[in-house]
Amino acid sequence: MTNTKQAQRTPGPWHLNWSNGENIVRTIETDRALEVAIMTTGDFGDPTELANARFIVRACNAHDDLIAVARRCDELLSVICATNHPPKTSIALITDLRTAIAKAEAS
């Protein structure tokens, strides 16, 4: 039997564990010490690797807040456009906003 229930992501906040021991292991963890991602590499000094890991953590930690604000903006723009004669740029903005929300929430 196939499990049709969609898995939920690990709740945040997430942070980096960027340790340098005998084996170079980097993890992204939660405050409850749940490992979300594990990265191993032989190039401990690669600044791009650290920048990418920091970006992942920032993006994941900001995700819920950004989606909430985007939804509120969508609601407000929809009301404004429904009660006024909006410029085409406003309608395009709503479309772009809804596309971005859908992309962020896609599994």
Side-chain angles (χ1 to χ4, degrees), residues 65-81:
D65 291 337
L66 289 171
I67 292 297
V69 168
R71 287 189 182 287
R72 290 195 341 246
C73 289
D74 179 35
E75 290 172 9
L76 178 61
L77 285 170
S78 296
V79 169
I80 290 170
C81 288

Side-chain angles (χ1 to χ4, degrees), residues 57-99:
V57 169
R58 278 194 319 271
C60 291
N61 286 340
H63 178 269
D64 293 343
D65 291 337
L66 289 171
I67 292 297
V69 168
R71 287 189 182 287
R72 290 195 341 246
C73 289
D74 179 35
E75 290 172 9
L76 178 61
L77 285 170
S78 296
V79 169
I80 290 170
C81 288
T83 58
N84 297 305
H85 299 288
K88 290 181 182 180
T89 54
S90 296
I91 296 169
L93 179 61
I94 290 173
T95 301
D96 291 346
L97 186 59
R98 289 177 181 169
T99 300

Side-chain angles (χ1 to χ4, degrees), residues 21-79:
E22 189 174 308
N23 295 316
I24 299 172
V25 177
R26 293 150 175 111
T27 60
I28 297 175
E29 301 175 343
T30 69
D31 285 346
R32 297 184 323 238
L34 296 171
E35 290 181 343
V36 177
I38 301 171
M39 302 157 281
T40 60
T41 181
D43 187 7
F44 186 73
D46 183 359
T48 301
E49 187 177 277
L50 178 59
N52 288 340
R54 285 180 174 153
F55 175 74
I56 291 167
V57 169
R58 278 194 319 271
C60 291
N61 286 340
H63 178 269
D64 293 343
D65 291 337
L66 289 171
I67 292 297
V69 168
R71 287 189 182 287
R72 290 195 341 246
C73 289
D74 179 35
E75 290 172 9
L76 178 61
L77 285 170
S78 296
V79 169

